[in-house]
Amino acid sequence: LESLFAEAGLWHVLGASRRNSVGPLRRCLRLCRQGLQLQGETGSQEALHRLEAESLLRLRCYEEAFEVFGSLARHSSEKVPDLERMVAPFRLRHDIQLSKRLARLDRLDTGRSLAENLQKVLDRLESADSGGDGELWWAKASSFDSVTAAHLNAGLYDRLTTVCPYPKVRLASWQSRDPLNKMLKWEALQEAFLSSGLVVVDDFFSQDALSELWDFVREAPCFRSLRPGY
């Protein structure tokens, strides 16, 4: 599985470096889907799905790509046994703020309680790492004592995507709306891009679309990265 992922990644890089060349990206897709038919660790399967979705985006298969991304956001956490969950301090900070915000918006009645439990887990991780060199990146839930594990479970860590998803009605409203700025001359911008390969576009989205995006990044429980810097 790892060798398939490595080869698929190389084909993806080759396709991307050649301005989204179809041949290498299609080869990457085939390898990803071949690997997904095999049994392997959940993390490896998710990595293949992400690479699959990223290749689909470059191939302009947007609907299929977002379906794969959506499936990852909704279901990947359900496949991971509780004790195998990876817990990152910066992710805990994010989820604490998110829980508090959802409580203020009356979208999560237990938001404040969740935040308090996650804060106790964060305090425990930070106190355990106080003597180390640099910040702890992540820890496995199986390494926690029973009290910390109970707080993690009570804080619904990695489960907010199913408990409090972003309102579907707000997303559905954009299926028939154009998010782009109607004041821009899009045909002229496209011609400039096709002739030069580079064009700078200010005010790309409409103000309503920008407001929705801003609300989404502050309210949607889809941020599940473990690596600092994301």
Side-chain angles (χ1 to χ4, degrees), residues 165-222:
Y166 197 72
K168 291 183 178 180
V169 63
R170 287 169 61 177
L171 293 177
S173 69
W174 285 97
Q175 293 180 359
S176 58
R177 298 169 64 187
D178 188 351
L180 303 183
N181 186 353
K182 297 180 180 179
M183 301 301 293
L184 295 178
K185 298 179 180 179
W186 290 103
E187 291 184 359
L189 288 168
Q190 179 173 309
E191 290 179 3
F193 174 75
L194 293 175
S195 63
S196 66
L198 177 67
V199 65
V200 178
V201 182
D202 291 323
D203 300 321
F204 189 89
F205 290 111
S206 68
Q207 190 58 50
D208 286 344
L210 285 173
S211 297
E212 187 70 50
L213 283 172
W214 181 238
D215 288 340
F216 183 85
V217 299
R218 292 191 299 170
E219 300 171 19
C222 59

Side-chain angles (χ1 to χ4, degrees), residues 105 139 148 159 190 226:
L105 294 171
T148 304
R159 293 181 173 84
Q190 179 173 309
L226 291 172

Side-chain angles (χ1 to χ4, degrees), residues 16-36:
S17 65
R18 293 181 176 176
R19 301 184 68 175
N20 295 336
S21 177
V22 173
L25 290 173
R26 288 290 181 189
R27 180 67 178 274
C28 173
L29 273 180
R30 286 196 297 271
L31 289 167
C32 286
R33 288 165 178 173
Q34 180 181 344
L36 290 169

Side-chain angles (χ1 to χ4, degrees), residues 87-94 96-97 100 113-131 135-136 139 144-145 147-149 151-152 157:
V87 184
F90 85 106
R91 165 77 184 283
L92 286 169
R93 296 187 193 101
H94 169 274
I96 290 167
Q97 294 301 318
K100 291 179 178 179
S113 175
L114 300 184
E116 290 173 0
N117 278 287
L118 294 177
Q119 184 64 55
K120 291 176 181 178
V121 178
L122 177 61
D123 293 342
R124 179 69 180 86
L125 285 179
E126 290 181 334
S127 64
D129 190 52
S130 60
E135 182 181 4
L136 175 72
F144 295 164
D145 58 68
V147 174
T148 304
H151 286 309
L152 187 71
Y157 180 78

